[in-house]
Amino acid sequence: MIRVQAEDFDVGRELEKLSDGNHGVGGVCSFVGLVRDIAGDKTIKAMTLEHYPEMTEPALAKIEAEAHDRWPLEETLIIHRYGRLEPGDRIVLVAAASAHREAAFEACHFLIDWLKTQAPFWKLEETPDGGQWVDARSSDGRAAERWLADKPQDKPQDKPQDKPKGKPGAAE
Amino acid sequence: MIRVQAEDFDVGRELEKLSDGNHGVGGVCSFVGLVRDIAGDKTIKAMTLEHYPEMTEPALAKIEAEAHDRWPLEETLIIHRYGRLEPGDRIVLVAAASAHREAAFEACHFLIDWLKTQAPFWKLEETPDGGQWVDARSSDGRAAERWLADKPQDKPQDKPQDKPKGKPGAAE
Amino acid sequence: MKILYFAWLREKAGIAEEDVSPPETVTTVAELVEWMKSRGGGFAEAFADEGMVRVAVNQEHVRTDHPVAAGDEIAFFPPITGG
Amino acid sequence: MKILYFAWLREKAGIAEEDVSPPETVTTVAELVEWMKSRGGGFAEAFADEGMVRVAVNQEHVRTDHPVAAGDEIAFFPPITGG
């Protein structure tokens, strides 16, 4: 499930939908990203998230499909906000529901890492020195790249029953 | 924050508390464990969670303190239910709030892995063949053990600024 | 000393909690377990597969060489299956 | 072709969106960027540091050797900072 919106979201209600009526779900891992009031050594009064609407939803759909190819997931969710947000405001929610907790954790981690490098959003921070566009962090690039090493050579026809090789974590 | 209770909990409200009024939190990673209706090849009608009340809270407090020793966290949460639960019911919620998403993910993962081997809970499943105590899974033991390899030799006086070595993930 | 049993150990022992006074020769968890087994019946059954028995002394997980003494709270239970 | 600019590329170019008709010799993203720079002013400034410019053709991330043609929607933007 994908949503791109200016409005806030209700985390509890959104997570509940991932397992609602599906008693095969054993675990739901989620990550909520929030606006901090500090970036480096600067105070942030607010930030404005710009995006490329025609591209955003297809990009998120691709990231979500990739997660389902890699792990046995029951459901996934990506909600990303745009517009002006203040410290403490929610920016993004990603979540993965699976029968198994390792798959839920890894898929959720993958979703946020890939979203940070693949989804067309840009942040403008309001600092005491005026508006500043946030620089992409090389650490985000590395975080996304580590999933490339795990990419299956041949995509299975069905959901893979084995967890991806080379990732940490024990089988459930 | 630790709670052991028979009642259900409101995931959205609980997660909100982790960052409420703290604009240094950049991300909250959480995991919700749910009762599945299948275990192996057996249908589960319900399960009853027994625990050792005098030991449970100290054990959870120790797990939480260990997470704070290992990662720079703003707040953590463990809620574990006991009593009779049916498929789809929430069993456990663990969450970690940090300035940095890698710390939030790793600490949350650590909390659930350690809880599964260190917190004194036992599950009795109601199957068509009658009540069956759930066997501990060797995979849970391995999942917990992998954190031992990362254990810092000397615990830092302050919250560590470096992420633990040997774990996956790029610096934030 | 106070003994607690959980999960299937409780069911096999047929009791959740009891106060016992083992002989003075019982000074470690391992010796306590041997004495428990010698009581026969449900206790012998509960401790038949010692590899499946975990123990906490005064609410702390310990190994079988851990000392036990009068006044201790000793809990026996199977491997944990929470979460 | 339709050109879109985002974030600081939009600010430097001084425009969010425009329709352009580059000469027929412009067949790839790299050639389009060269032509953009030749227009001078804000465009030259926006594309001054090409290492900081990402491009999507018809909503797909592409490299600079990707072909461009009339009717394409081409977006220029800095590295992504969402999430």
Side-chain angles (χ1 to χ4, degrees):
Chain A
M1 296 184 289
I2 287 166
R3 294 217 311 273
V4 183
Q5 62 189 44
E7 315 83 62
D8 193 15
F9 43 82
D10 180 326
V11 175
R13 192 172 309 166
E14 297 298 340
L15 294 183
E16 194 137 3
K17 284 186 211 161
L18 294 184
S19 61
D20 206 26
N22 181 351
H23 294 166
V25 173
V28 177
C29 183
S30 72
F31 179 82
V32 179
L34 300 153
V35 180
R36 292 169 64 198
D37 57 3
I38 292 273
D41 54 357
K42 289 212 165 58
T43 309
I44 305 300
K45 212 178 85 189
M47 67 162 57
T48 299
L49 272 148
E50 176 174 335
H51 77 127
Y52 176 6
E54 293 79 5
M55 186 174 170
T56 309
E57 295 217 10
L60 296 183
K62 206 170 157 187
I63 291 167
E64 190 178 45
E66 182 78 26
H68 281 269
D69 269 356
R70 287 172 179 238
W71 291 279
L73 303 173
E74 297 293 324
E75 187 60 271
T76 49
L77 171 67
I78 304 174
I79 303 180
H80 205 303
R81 293 175 73 188
Y82 59 85
R84 189 170 183 277
L85 301 173
E86 295 185 353
D89 284 351
R90 284 176 275 268
I91 306 169
V92 65
L93 168 64
V94 298
S98 174
H100 306 292
R101 80 175 182 278
E102 289 301 331
F105 263 101
E106 293 186 13
C108 184
H109 207 157
F110 168 87
L111 288 174
I112 189 71
D113 281 352
W114 272 46
L115 188 152
K116 284 199 173 252
T117 59
Q118 304 293 316
F121 287 91
W122 302 274
K123 287 176 183 153
L124 177 67
E125 292 175 339
E126 294 175 30
T127 77
D129 303 337
Q132 298 196 338
W133 290 99
V134 176
D135 284 335
R137 285 182 299 197
S138 55
S139 63
D140 283 335
R142 287 194 302 274
E145 271 164 22
R146 78 191 143 122
W147 298 103
L148 290 174
D150 302 321
K151 189 156 180 174
Q153 288 303 305
D154 304 289
K155 286 192 184 172
Q157 296 295 313
D158 301 310
K159 288 181 181 178
Q161 292 307 307
D162 292 317
K163 51 189 298 301
K165 287 177 182 63
K167 288 306 301 170
E172 187 80 352
Chain B
M1 296 185 288
I2 287 166
R3 292 219 312 275
V4 183
Q5 62 188 45
E7 315 82 63
D8 193 14
F9 43 82
D10 180 324
V11 175
R13 192 171 311 167
E14 298 298 340
L15 294 184
E16 195 136 2
K17 284 186 212 162
L18 294 184
S19 61
D20 206 24
N22 181 350
H23 294 165
V25 173
V28 177
C29 183
S30 72
F31 180 81
V32 180
L34 301 154
V35 181
R36 292 169 63 198
D37 56 2
I38 292 272
D41 53 357
K42 289 211 167 56
T43 309
I44 305 299
K45 212 178 84 189
M47 66 160 57
T48 299
L49 272 148
E50 177 175 333
H51 78 125
Y52 176 8
E54 292 79 7
M55 186 172 169
T56 310
E57 295 216 9
L60 296 183
K62 206 170 155 185
I63 292 166
E64 191 178 44
E66 181 78 28
H68 281 269
D69 269 357
R70 287 171 178 239
W71 290 279
L73 302 173
E74 297 292 324
E75 188 59 273
T76 49
L77 171 67
I78 305 175
I79 303 179
H80 205 303
R81 293 176 71 188
Y82 59 85
R84 189 169 183 277
L85 302 173
E86 296 186 351
D89 284 351
R90 283 176 276 267
I91 306 169
V92 64
L93 168 64
V94 297
S98 175
H100 306 292
R101 80 174 184 279
E102 290 300 331
F105 263 100
E106 292 186 13
C108 184
H109 208 158
F110 168 88
L111 288 174
I112 189 73
D113 281 353
W114 273 46
L115 189 150
K116 286 202 173 248
T117 59
Q118 304 293 316
F121 287 92
W122 302 274
K123 285 176 185 152
L124 177 67
E125 293 175 339
E126 296 176 26
T127 78
D129 303 337
Q132 297 197 339
W133 290 99
V134 175
D135 285 335
R137 285 180 301 195
S138 55
S139 64
D140 283 334
R142 287 194 302 275
E145 271 165 23
R146 78 191 143 119
W147 297 104
L148 290 175
D150 301 322
K151 189 156 180 173
Q153 289 302 304
D154 304 287
K155 284 190 184 172
Q157 297 293 315
D158 301 309
K159 289 183 179 178
Q161 293 306 309
D162 294 323
K163 53 188 299 302
K165 289 178 179 58
K167 289 303 304 171
E172 187 77 356
Chain C
M1 52 190 72
K2 184 176 171 185
I3 310 290
L4 304 177
Y5 303 91
F6 291 96
W8 54 256
L9 267 105
R10 174 175 47 73
E11 292 181 343
K12 288 191 177 175
I15 193 172
E17 190 175 329
E18 61 175 338
D19 281 300
V20 300
S21 300
E24 283 185 11
T25 52
V26 168
T27 61
T28 67
V29 168
E31 288 160 0
L32 179 63
V33 168
E34 282 313 302
W35 179 74
M36 285 285 181
K37 288 163 85 168
S38 75
R39 297 163 82 201
F43 298 109
E45 210 187 318
F47 292 98
D49 184 358
E50 286 181 42
M52 292 304 287
V53 178
R54 300 290 178 270
V55 63
V57 174
N58 300 325
Q59 298 92 43
E60 287 270 358
H61 286 278
V62 298
R63 292 174 191 275
T64 53
D65 58 358
H66 193 277
V68 295
D72 283 348
E73 176 174 293
I74 296 154
F76 293 106
F77 43 78
I80 278 161
T81 58
Chain D
M1 52 190 73
K2 184 177 172 184
I3 310 290
L4 304 177
Y5 304 90
F6 291 96
W8 55 254
L9 267 105
R10 175 175 46 73
E11 291 181 344
K12 288 191 177 175
I15 193 173
E17 189 176 328
E18 60 176 336
D19 281 300
V20 299
S21 301
E24 283 184 12
T25 53
V26 169
T27 61
T28 67
V29 167
E31 287 160 0
L32 179 63
V33 168
E34 282 313 301
W35 180 73
M36 285 286 181
K37 288 162 87 168
S38 75
R39 296 162 82 200
F43 298 110
E45 208 187 319
F47 292 98
D49 184 358
E50 286 181 43
M52 293 303 289
V53 178
R54 301 290 178 268
V55 62
V57 174
N58 300 325
Q59 296 93 43
E60 289 270 359
H61 287 277
V62 297
R63 293 174 191 274
T64 54
D65 60 358
H66 193 278
V68 296
D72 283 349
E73 176 174 293
I74 296 156
F76 293 105
F77 44 79
I80 279 162
T81 58

